[in-house]
Amino acid sequence: MPAIIKPLYMAREFVSACVSGGDLVIDATAGNGHDTLFLASLVGDKGKVLSFDVQKEAIETTRQLLEGENLIHRVDLILDSHENMSDYVHGFVSAVMFNLGYLPGGEHDTITRPETTVNALKAGLLMLRPGGIITVVIYTGHEGGKEERTALFSFCANLNQKQFTVLHYSVINQIHDPPSLLVIEKIY
Ligand SMILES: C[S@@+](CC[C@H](N)C(=O)[O-])C[C@H]1O[C@@H](n2cnc3c(N)ncnc32)[C@H](O)[C@@H]1O
């Protein structure tokens, strides 16, 4: 087992460290439901995961996965863009997870986009409790991916350091475009 953890799993390490039973959390990109399942296992029966996707197929796959694990009662599945998350969230959240790009196994033309992703990030930051975190797994190998990363970096680099700490976790010696991870922590 390599000691360096991949960005996708590193995101879960950060989230595990700040989510407790009973918390409200968000999966901003449900996809095939793996992060939603991970979050549902963390929040317990008293917590809730709000899970967003713009594709019916993703919402349905996520529903089936969660039903199969008997955890669907911990999740609200929402067929809407993550930039509208504040319409659905009442209260503070301890974590928001983004896994950008396209639905694995689905159409590659439905992808996350710079403007909506940054708007969703802004909405997520407003509902984050002190000590809470947002994780964003970024992919740059597909068309538009590099532009999305640029937009995210320019937004995040200007966040007030007294309010937020922003980390970028990335491999720097791979010739192809490996995914990387942004983590934003709201300071206590
Ligand atoms: C890489 S997949 C997510 C994988 C997922 N986290 C998992 O564990 O399986 C990216 C997802 O983002 C969704 N997506 C694209 N634009 C979106 C938006 N504006 N709001 C919410 N979801 C969006 C896509 O439909 C796709 O299912």
Side-chain angles (χ1 to χ4, degrees):
M1 229 350 217
I4 295 179
I5 302 171
K6 290 184 175 173
L8 195 66
Y9 300 107
M10 199 62 192
R12 294 183 182 181
E13 294 290 319
F14 283 107
V15 169
S16 297
C18 80
V19 174
S20 308
D23 283 0
L24 179 62
V25 298
I26 296 175
D27 184 353
T29 52
N32 288 319
H34 303 294
D35 288 330
T36 299
L37 176 59
F38 162 74
L39 289 167
S41 71
L42 287 183
V43 299
D45 279 333
K46 294 198 171 136
K48 193 58 105 181
V49 184
L50 273 64
S51 185
F52 293 84
D53 208 290
V54 286
Q55 295 192 74
K56 271 188 189 160
E57 184 191 348
I59 293 292
E60 201 40 49
T61 306
T62 301
R63 183 191 312 287
Q64 284 171 20
L65 182 66
L66 273 290
E67 281 175 353
E69 298 290 334
N70 289 322
L71 290 177
I72 193 69
H73 58 286
R74 298 182 185 177
V75 178
D76 287 345
L77 294 167
I78 300 163
L79 181 63
D80 198 352
S81 173
H82 41 219
E83 66 180 332
N84 299 324
M85 64 173 75
S86 52
D87 293 347
Y88 302 88
V89 180
H90 308 290
F92 285 101
V93 303
S94 51
V96 185
M97 296 186 80
F98 289 81
N99 185 347
L100 303 179
Y102 53 80
L103 179 65
E107 294 299 324
H108 289 198
D109 47 2
T110 304
I111 54 169
T112 53
R113 308 267 171 196
E115 196 186 334
T116 44
T117 302
V118 170
N119 284 341
L121 208 52
K122 287 179 187 169
L125 290 173
L126 288 175
M127 57 185 70
L128 204 58
R129 70 155 170 79
I133 62 160
I134 296 183
T135 61
V136 188
V137 178
I138 304 169
Y139 302 86
T140 53
H142 62 279
E143 209 183 314
K146 290 191 175 64
E147 289 75 9
E148 189 172 37
R149 180 178 63 184
T150 301
L152 281 165
F153 275 27
S154 72
F155 173 70
C156 288
N158 287 304
L159 286 171
N160 186 332
Q161 69 176 53
K162 291 186 177 153
Q163 290 179 285
F164 300 102
T165 305
V166 186
L167 167 80
H168 184 225
Y169 178 82
S170 74
V171 174
I172 61 170
N173 69 330
Q174 282 185 10
I175 54 166
H176 296 302
D177 297 295
S180 66
L181 172 67
L182 267 178
V183 185
I184 308 170
E185 181 177 30
K186 183 163 180 179
I187 294 170
Y188 282 92

